[in-house]
Amino acid sequence: MMAYHSFLLEPISCHAWNKDRTQIALCPNNHEVHIYQKERSGWMKIHVLKEHNGQVTGIDWAPESNRIVTCGTDRNAYVWTLKGSMWKPTLVILRINRAARCVKWSPRENKFAVGSGSRLISICYFEQDNDWWVCKHIKKPIRSTVLSLDWHPNNVLLASGSCDFKCRIFSAYIKELEDKPAPTPWGSKMPFGEVMFESSGAGGWIHDVSFSASGNRVAWASHDSTVAIAEGGKTPVVASLYLETLPLLCLTFITENSLVAAGHDCYPALFVYDAERSTITFGGKLDVPKQSAQRGMTARERFQNLDKKATADNKEAVLESLHKNSISQILVLEGDKAKCTKFCTTGMDGGMAVWDVKTLESSMKDLKIV
Amino acid sequence: MRKKAAVCFHTMSKNTVSDRFRKVDVDEYDENKFVDEEDGGENQMGPDEAEVDALIRQYPFHPLSCWGPNGNLMEALQAVLKNPPINTKNQNVKDRAEGLVLKVLSSFKSSDIEKAVQSLDKSGVDLLMKYIYKGFERPSENSSAVLLQWHEKALTAGGVGSIVRVLTARKTKSSSNLRKHQFTLESIDVVRLIFK
């Protein structure tokens, strides 16, 4: 049910998959992007993309057009296209004076959004006449670094999570590219830069945001160990859950009602949304550790423990989870956000794990994915 | 010869331009500086001192034993956790609230602490945890021992998440004294909390 591959001994800064999931692009905590190909017996590095002058903080791989966009702390973004057997970069001027932190292709892949420490979001699209990527800025009312972004399926609305403790939904409508979008539960007038929703929190930095498959719900994970979901409407209804665990760093919807999230506790967990009661409940840990043999303690060990740690317990400070360090990114691998069958996590332990939803459901009693 | 050199260096530093600029807090002049939203704390007066004192005094003479021997300390705890002066800028109101909470916590018998914590809801446990760490910041005679007992039970109820919310709360500023209380947590959790 869980497959784990250790790529590096350092954190994987970010990763993205190609359309048929045979290749993974990841940043090995430096200025490069490495692309690995799945072989029968493991993973083989087939490309190294060298262009950034700073750590690569975001990678997104467009499934249909097969273009990769990367962004980094060097304040740049590059769009990479495969020419023969080489990936060729094209610089995109983001006009930011701080590090770029996250990047996402829109669903129709005709634009992408970059969040940065410049307290703004750059919406970039290709201008045919000038043969050149241009960008427009969404600035107000963002007051700190934008850490995460997620597009609504209508290709116009964009959810953002920021260090100013707010999750916001903006309109990133570009009139040169598309027709006026149809009304959504978040509103009907969507001029560029319009704030369609803003959370009221002042709890903690928003590490990740995710729209549900329909786009009618948005979830966010905050550094004060809370997770929240807002349901679009005339007055959006917000449900939140105060966790008893360490903060979550990443999350994604796997059905319209279920969220999988992970973070500093190193295991993915399920959260279930009940729209009628407007509640979020913890649905269970999705990591079944191998039961380590409990050996008995000698009297000497007991005394040593008492002397060193003031407790006679033999609880070892060893993580039993699959990932041995914080999980920083989670992506849907198979299926989609309406019905995800496999998802993938990468973390600070340099490892990548693939989780099979069906086998998780059948092997853990009490686990119900609705 | 050495004395001459020392005097020479001293006059050198005196002759350079004034270093008053080093004391200027440049962030104050940054127009993009993040300012928390004002949240109207003027009317927050904290828990009702009279009400809480009355409830403490009623113990142990309360006639209704069906409420248990600590019948009114439980109510005192609920009362003292009401109206927390989170947004007020008046430090006196905050100090008074902290003192009152410590008074109630100290009145409990050790064996009754667990039940008291279990009677609180999620936000109550979070608020209790905030008061506990506030109490650690200014220890008085025996206060830390009492607070540590409460901390153990509150941690079981609220998990490390409740401590994370103490660390991230912007309105209740916890000082760096927080790091001195590492011994209250498992070492691996502490490392992850402090360095992540």
Side-chain angles (χ1 to χ4, degrees):
Chain A
M1 81 191 89
M2 288 120 58
Y4 181 85
H5 178 82
S6 175
F7 276 100
L8 321 154
L9 290 174
E10 289 181 82
I12 293 177
S13 313
C14 47
H15 79 278
W17 291 87
N18 67 346
K19 181 176 180 180
D20 57 10
R21 309 322 196 194
T22 53
Q23 292 181 19
I24 183 173
L26 53 85
C27 170
N29 198 35
N30 60 15
H31 303 182
E32 303 170 351
V33 174
H34 295 184
I35 300 184
Y36 287 81
Q37 168 102 11
K38 180 114 187 70
E39 306 280 307
R40 225 172 346 195
S41 55
W43 294 87
M44 193 169 76
K45 196 189 307 186
I46 54 171
H47 291 117
V48 175
L49 277 48
K50 283 193 225 221
E51 200 71 22
H52 280 283
N53 283 322
Q55 190 186 43
V56 180
T57 51
I59 306 177
D60 200 16
W61 200 325
E64 303 307 319
S65 54
N66 201 40
R67 287 175 300 180
I68 297 177
V69 64
T70 58
C71 71
T73 56
D74 60 355
R75 300 163 304 186
N76 287 333
Y78 291 93
V79 174
W80 303 79
T81 16
L82 192 60
K83 296 258 190 328
S85 61
M86 298 278 287
W87 285 95
K88 294 272 185 250
T90 309
L91 173 67
V92 178
I93 308 275
L94 298 173
R95 295 185 285 126
I96 56 179
N97 56 9
R98 292 290 185 278
R101 289 291 266 110
C102 52
V103 62
K104 279 272 172 72
W105 282 108
S106 71
R108 265 181 241 144
E109 301 172 18
N110 51 5
K111 50 185 175 177
F112 61 86
V114 180
S116 65
S118 290
R119 295 183 266 235
L120 52 85
I121 304 170
S122 304
I123 308 293
C124 311
Y125 59 100
F126 196 71
E127 218 170 56
Q128 274 306 135
D129 308 336
N130 292 323
D131 190 28
W132 164 264
W133 289 89
V134 293
C135 83
K136 290 177 84 163
H137 285 168
I138 297 177
K139 263 188 129 137
K140 285 191 168 37
I142 306 173
R143 305 188 41 229
S144 189
T145 306
V146 175
L147 286 181
S148 52
L149 295 167
D150 195 33
W151 287 91
H152 185 285
N154 74 357
N155 209 60
V156 170
L157 297 182
L158 180 67
S160 70
S162 168
C163 286
D164 64 2
F165 323 119
K166 303 238 183 257
C167 165
R168 296 183 181 89
I169 298 179
F170 289 102
S171 162
Y173 171 66
I174 305 281
K175 63 183 191 307
E176 288 90 339
L177 289 183
E178 51 212 338
D179 298 326
K180 275 211 173 80
T184 68
W186 302 105
S188 20
K189 286 217 182 301
M190 290 173 251
F192 181 85
E194 182 85 355
V195 180
M196 311 300 290
F197 168 76
E198 183 178 85
S199 70
S200 58
W205 309 315
I206 309 294
H207 287 295
D208 205 4
V209 293
S210 175
F211 266 116
S212 66
S214 65
N216 297 334
R217 296 174 182 164
V218 68
W220 63 94
S222 172
H223 196 68
D224 61 350
S225 282
T226 58
V227 63
I229 295 178
E231 179 108 41
K234 259 219 167 63
T235 27
V237 179
V238 179
S240 53
L241 179 61
Y242 283 35
L243 307 170
E244 289 177 22
T245 49
L246 293 177
L248 300 167
L249 288 176
C250 51
L251 84 177
T252 181
F253 274 95
I254 53 166
T255 68
E256 197 67 17
N257 297 315
S258 302
L259 271 178
V260 172
H264 290 301
D265 278 305
C266 319
Y267 57 78
L270 177 72
F271 294 93
V272 187
Y273 176 60
D274 182 336
E276 255 160 64
R277 291 207 206 96
S278 233
T279 55
I280 307 176
T281 40
F282 174 62
K285 250 169 96 152
L286 295 179
D287 194 337
V288 184
K290 285 200 268 289
Q291 290 301 334
S292 51
Q294 287 280 53
R295 52 179 201 82
M297 267 206 295
T298 63
R300 186 161 201 264
E301 280 166 347
R302 225 179 257 279
F303 182 74
Q304 274 180 333
N305 270 342
L306 205 55
D307 185 39
K308 259 195 289 188
K309 299 186 247 181
T311 167
D313 283 340
N314 195 20
K315 226 179 355 148
E316 286 191 23
V318 166
L319 280 180
E320 292 178 342
S321 53
L322 202 56
H323 276 283
K324 298 305 178 194
N325 207 324
S326 307
I327 296 174
S328 50
Q329 194 178 355
I330 186 167
L331 287 180
V332 168
L333 205 59
E334 233 177 65
D336 57 15
K337 282 195 208 168
K339 185 121 187 75
C340 168
T341 46
K342 283 205 182 126
F343 61 88
C344 165
T345 50
T346 53
M348 308 218 198
D349 60 352
M352 184 261 311
V354 176
W355 310 77
D356 187 314
V357 173
K358 233 195 195 79
T359 32
L360 279 170
E361 235 183 328
S362 55
S363 68
M364 294 182 199
K365 64 176 183 75
D366 301 336
L367 192 79
K368 280 249 87 203
I369 299 187
V370 293
Chain B
M1 197 51 199
R2 222 179 286 144
K3 205 170 181 186
K4 262 202 191 149
V7 168
C8 190
F9 281 128
H10 179 68
T11 38
M12 267 176 71
S13 69
K14 274 287 184 183
N15 279 341
T16 53
V17 179
S18 156
D19 64 351
R20 255 188 329 181
F21 70 89
R22 295 189 191 280
K23 298 199 174 80
V24 172
D25 180 6
V26 290
D27 288 331
E28 288 298 313
Y29 298 94
D30 179 9
E31 59 203 17
N32 285 325
K33 182 184 164 157
F34 187 88
V35 173
D36 280 295
E37 286 161 5
E38 292 304 311
D39 227 2
E42 306 85 28
N43 294 325
Q44 285 193 335
M45 296 310 292
D48 188 332
E49 189 156 3
E51 179 190 354
V52 174
D53 275 337
L55 289 166
I56 298 179
R57 265 182 277 118
Q58 275 182 43
Y59 163 86
F61 304 117
H62 198 282
L64 282 178
S65 59
C66 60
W67 283 7
N70 266 1
N72 271 0
L73 270 192
M74 297 286 258
E75 287 208 2
L77 180 63
Q78 302 281 352
V80 87
L81 291 178
K82 270 197 291 204
N83 300 327
I86 294 178
N87 294 324
T88 184
K89 293 196 184 62
N90 186 339
Q91 190 56 39
N92 286 334
V93 173
K94 290 193 177 182
D95 292 344
R96 225 177 329 120
E98 283 158 33
L100 206 54
V101 170
L102 186 56
K103 201 163 154 188
V104 173
L105 298 187
S106 309
S107 310
F108 272 83
K109 263 204 306 236
S110 303
S111 46
D112 294 321
I113 294 179
E114 185 165 355
K115 213 173 357 130
V117 171
Q118 280 162 4
S119 75
L120 298 173
D121 62 5
K122 260 190 152 103
S123 52
V125 172
D126 277 358
L127 184 58
L128 173 65
M129 200 50 112
K130 290 195 170 79
Y131 272 119
I132 290 174
Y133 276 96
K134 270 284 164 199
F136 281 143
E137 282 175 33
R138 263 171 309 170
S140 56
E141 178 92 35
N142 204 40
S143 71
S144 287
V146 164
L147 289 172
L148 273 174
Q149 292 182 315
W150 279 91
H151 186 279
E152 187 193 341
K153 302 301 178 198
L155 181 59
T156 313
V160 288
S162 61
I163 298 182
V164 172
R165 280 183 285 282
V166 174
L167 292 170
T168 55
R170 289 186 70 77
K171 297 288 158 73
T172 51
K173 303 218 155 66
S174 46
S175 74
S176 61
N177 276 327
L178 210 50
R179 291 179 195 210
K180 291 192 190 152
H181 298 283
Q182 294 174 17
F183 51 79
T184 55
L185 301 171
E186 292 279 7
S187 52
I188 195 166
D189 287 330
V190 167
V191 169
R192 273 190 267 145
L193 265 181
I194 301 294
F195 289 101
K196 295 272 161 80

